[in-house]
Amino acid sequence: QKEVEQNSGPLSVPEGAIASLNCTYSDRGSQSFFWYRQYSGKSPELIMFIYSNGDKEDGRFTAQLNKASQYVSLLIRDSQPSDSATYLCAVNGWQDSSYKLIFGSGTRLLVRP
Amino acid sequence: DTEVTQTPKHLVMGMTNKKSLKCEQHMGHRAMYWYKQKAKKPPELMFVYSYEKLSINESVPSRFSPECPNSSLLNLHLHALQPEDSALYLCASSQGSSRELGNEQFFGPGTRLTVL
């Protein structure tokens, strides 16, 4: 089982819709959760982080964390074509005897005009 | 200012060359990282420096040699690379180590490396 799992997509949504991206993780001791956006050929950009159960909102983005179910999600409201990118979920946890940031394989989001 | 800078942006080198990648941050962060990213894959951790000391080496081949001259700078020295080492090399920094809260990692723009 992969430590951090994401659906690779592509997730295709029309402009103006809500895009919902999901991520599950295996290390119950994880305490820090991050969402990065990565445009093709560019580096990852941190867009949200969440440490406590519940919702955290920042502009059009909402991160949701449920530690009991070991999932974290990202909602993007009023999706725009400029949101089309790969979204990487990352979780701090143990892997190969080190505590580190563990990435999911990413979900590609396509927002159709 | 959440900026991490990297030079060069692009690098083409032969298998016998020696080159260095440079990374700089002025956010007062105490942890710095090197990642390697291949196309359509997530970043893969290579090295972690915490308080200027190497704390994680992910069994990276010795042809990659990291150096942390001070708390703001991180170098990656390259020697005798293979074509399969061609990738995007990313530097990141964070306030503290992965074990601490408030340890968001910020990435630089990366160096696109091609080994011929």
Side-chain angles (χ1 to χ4, degrees), chain A residues 31-32 34 36 38 41-44 46 49 51 88 92 94 96 98-101 103-105, chain B residues 35 37 42-43 45 56 58 88 90 98-110 112:
Chain A
Q31 297 187 47
S32 307
F34 308 88
Y36 288 86
Q38 187 169 26
K42 301 294 186 184
S43 65
L46 180 65
F49 58 89
Y51 302 141
L88 296 163
N92 273 326
W94 283 100
D96 299 329
S98 298
Y99 200 81
K100 64 186 74 163
L101 191 61
F103 286 88
S105 55
Chain B
Y35 288 87
Q37 188 176 27
L45 184 65
I56 296 179
E58 291 288 279
L88 181 66
L90 297 161
S98 293
R99 288 177 170 273
E100 305 166 30
L101 291 181
N103 58 356
E104 303 88 54
Q105 288 188 29
F106 297 93
F107 283 85
R112 177 75 57 190

Side-chain angles (χ1 to χ4, degrees), chain A residues 36-65:
Chain A
Y36 288 86
R37 176 176 63 198
Q38 187 169 26
Y39 294 112
S40 182
K42 301 294 186 184
S43 65
E45 175 192 3
L46 180 65
I47 54 171
M48 289 291 284
F49 58 89
I50 186 165
Y51 302 141
S52 305
N53 272 332
D55 294 1
K56 179 183 178 184
E57 188 174 316
D58 184 1
R60 295 187 296 113
F61 299 103
T62 299
Q64 299 175 316
L65 175 62

Side-chain angles (χ1 to χ4, degrees), chain B residues 66-111:
Chain B
E67 179 196 17
C68 187
N70 60 54
S71 59
S72 301
L73 291 174
L74 188 65
N75 298 323
L76 186 63
H77 302 298
L78 314 173
H79 173 54
L81 294 194
Q82 304 296 310
E84 59 265 28
D85 296 322
S86 298
L88 181 66
Y89 286 83
L90 297 161
C91 174
S93 71
S94 64
Q95 181 69 33
S97 71
S98 293
R99 288 177 170 273
E100 305 166 30
L101 291 181
N103 58 356
E104 303 88 54
Q105 288 188 29
F106 297 93
F107 283 85
T111 294

